[in-house]
Amino acid sequence: MADQYKQAGVDVESGEKAVTAIKGMVASTYDQSVVDDIGGFGAMYSLQSHFAKYDNPVLVSGTDGVGTKLMLAIQANRHDTIGVDLVAMCANDILAQGAKPLFFLDYIGIGKLLPEEVKEIVSGVVMGCKQAGLSLIGGEMAEMPGIYKTGDYDLSGFAVGIADKKRLLKAENVREGDILIGLKSSGIHSNGFSLVRKIIDDAKLDVNKQYEGFNQPLIDELLTPTHLYYHYIKGIVESVALHAIANITGGGIADNLSRVIPDDLTAVISRHTWEVPTIFKKLQEWGNLDQSDMDLVFNQGIGMILVVPQEYEQAVTDYLSDAGQEYFEIGEVVKRDKQAVQLK
């Protein structure tokens, strides 16, 4: 029967080898609250040590994938960082609500399960979890010939954090006079890649070529992993020096920042306060995109925006400098003027 299953395209033995190959890496992400190793029917994580720290503890969760950036990674046979993107897409979202990261689960759907390839993919997930302060406590590897072609796979993930209900970061905290501090992105992150791939095809770009203005081949620029912000801002998130955070993902700055701006206020951003990275300028040039296209799709160099009470501005910027996080003071919150966000 096992031979017939293998002939049908599912190799159980390879799956077992893959699990064995990743066990040590996965265990390196564990904290004291992880109850058991991977391999059980369900992943377990104890909340006992966390409850004493919160008056009214709330679990904050986020789930996501990496979009069509994954197609570029597969085409380039580069699987070691796409897992970082997966974790970041979930972890940065729960961080934006003020949550302390707890644990992560991943899912890999794949056409043909090759243990070494899976190990490479999971190494990126492990790297991302360490950068995000998450324990990787479980997941699923599903070999599905017929759904995925050999060489193809898909990733998704699920992050959980904890916060005190009264300390959640949200729009109702934001006040007139708050300062907007933009945190530098590492590049495109993991949004807008359907447009990126269209630009590559239409402009007949060679992703292995190093174009003018870059210090590495285009594929390296495109596959630069999404920046994880937890270790750079956790002290700020745990303090009273923050009213809200906007994680800049699909929809760009305006769409995402508007989520944390109350109906009676407007976030005014000055474009001249930061230099847009070369990759975005080149994509705009190659794709003949107007500014509205860029605003709608890309982060344009700002991966996260902190909404900071004016009296804490200096303390926050000092903290960011000490942490090594590059930032830009990009605007402020004023009384409502037509729309939630204005980029000038």
Side-chain angles (χ1 to χ4, degrees):
M1 180 62 72
D3 286 342
Q4 291 185 34
Y5 203 17
K6 191 172 183 178
Q7 290 170 17
V10 179
D11 190 339
V12 175
E13 186 178 345
S14 288
E16 292 170 349
K17 287 179 180 177
V19 171
T20 300
I22 66 174
K23 268 196 170 184
M25 290 190 301
V26 170
S28 71
T29 70
Y30 291 172
D31 63 16
Q32 70 280 4
S33 296
V34 177
V35 175
D36 204 358
D37 202 353
I38 60 172
F41 290 103
M44 295 179 285
Y45 189 91
S46 173
L47 295 174
Q48 185 174 2
S49 64
H50 297 281
F51 281 144
K53 303 172 187 176
Y54 302 95
D55 293 330
N56 188 356
V58 175
L59 292 178
V60 181
S61 59
T63 185
D64 213 332
V66 294
T68 59
K69 183 175 186 176
L70 187 57
M71 296 179 72
L72 290 175
I74 292 170
Q75 290 164 11
N77 196 28
R78 297 263 295 274
H79 312 291
D80 58 336
T81 61
I82 200 70
V84 178
D85 289 291
L86 175 65
V87 176
M89 294 300 287
C90 304
N92 285 341
D93 271 350
I94 67 169
L95 179 63
Q97 291 186 258
K100 171 182 169 51
L102 296 178
F103 59 84
F104 190 81
L105 294 98
D106 63 357
Y107 169 84
I108 304 172
I110 196 164
K112 182 173 179 57
L113 201 156
L114 303 173
E116 284 305 309
E117 184 178 87
V118 169
K119 184 178 179 181
E120 193 174 0
I121 295 167
V122 174
S123 73
V125 179
V126 167
M127 189 188 316
C129 284
K130 289 179 176 178
Q131 292 176 21
L134 289 159
S135 295
L136 177 57
I137 64 171
E140 166 71 355
M141 290 180 289
E143 189 173 26
M144 296 189 290
I147 297 292
Y148 301 104
K149 295 182 293 185
T150 298
D152 282 352
Y153 60 91
D154 195 13
L155 298 177
S156 58
F158 188 98
V160 174
I162 191 168
D164 203 314
K165 188 174 182 180
K166 66 185 178 185
R167 298 289 301 278
L168 289 169
L169 301 175
K170 47 191 175 181
E172 67 187 51
N173 302 336
V174 176
R175 300 287 181 266
E176 181 183 356
D178 283 354
I179 304 301
L180 303 173
I181 298 176
L183 306 185
K184 186 177 181 181
S185 71
S186 55
I188 304 173
H189 284 183
S190 195
N191 295 101
F193 274 88
S194 292
L195 178 56
V196 169
R197 292 185 303 105
K198 183 178 187 302
I199 291 170
I200 290 169
D201 289 344
D202 290 350
K204 295 180 171 53
L205 300 173
D206 180 357
V207 295
N208 296 308
K209 178 179 176 180
Q210 182 175 321
Y211 287 92
E212 185 179 355
F214 298 119
N215 57 13
Q216 59 184 347
L218 179 58
I219 189 64
D220 295 299
E221 289 286 337
L222 299 176
L223 292 181
T224 298
T226 304
H227 187 47
L228 281 138
Y229 293 96
Y230 173 66
H231 287 296
Y232 297 94
I233 67 170
K234 62 180 179 179
I236 304 171
V237 174
E238 292 165 358
S239 73
V240 296
L242 199 56
H243 278 163
I245 295 177
N247 184 28
I248 310 306
T249 54
I253 292 172
D255 249 21
N256 288 285
L257 184 56
S258 66
R259 299 188 195 187
V260 298
I261 302 300
D263 292 342
D264 60 336
L265 298 174
T266 291
V268 179
I269 294 177
S270 300
R271 295 182 188 271
H272 71 270
T273 52
W274 79 95
E275 178 70 21
V276 175
T278 301
I279 184 63
F280 297 106
K281 294 177 180 178
K282 287 293 188 180
L283 287 171
Q284 185 170 14
E285 175 191 330
W286 291 328
N288 192 28
L289 306 177
D290 60 29
Q291 192 58 53
S292 63
D293 292 322
M294 299 300 294
D295 290 345
L296 180 64
V297 178
F298 298 115
N299 69 62
Q300 299 184 87
I302 303 294
M304 186 169 276
I305 297 175
L306 310 183
V307 185
V308 179
Q310 199 167 34
E311 63 269 27
Y312 290 112
E313 179 183 5
Q314 190 63 56
V316 168
T317 55
D318 287 347
Y319 183 97
L320 292 171
S321 296
D322 290 344
Q325 173 61 58
E326 193 167 349
Y327 67 89
F328 313 95
E329 297 179 53
I330 63 174
E332 64 178 334
V333 178
V334 301
K335 287 183 179 178
R336 175 55 66 105
D337 182 14
K338 296 179 182 178
Q339 58 203 52
V341 178
Q342 291 182 6
L343 283 87
K344 297 184 174 181

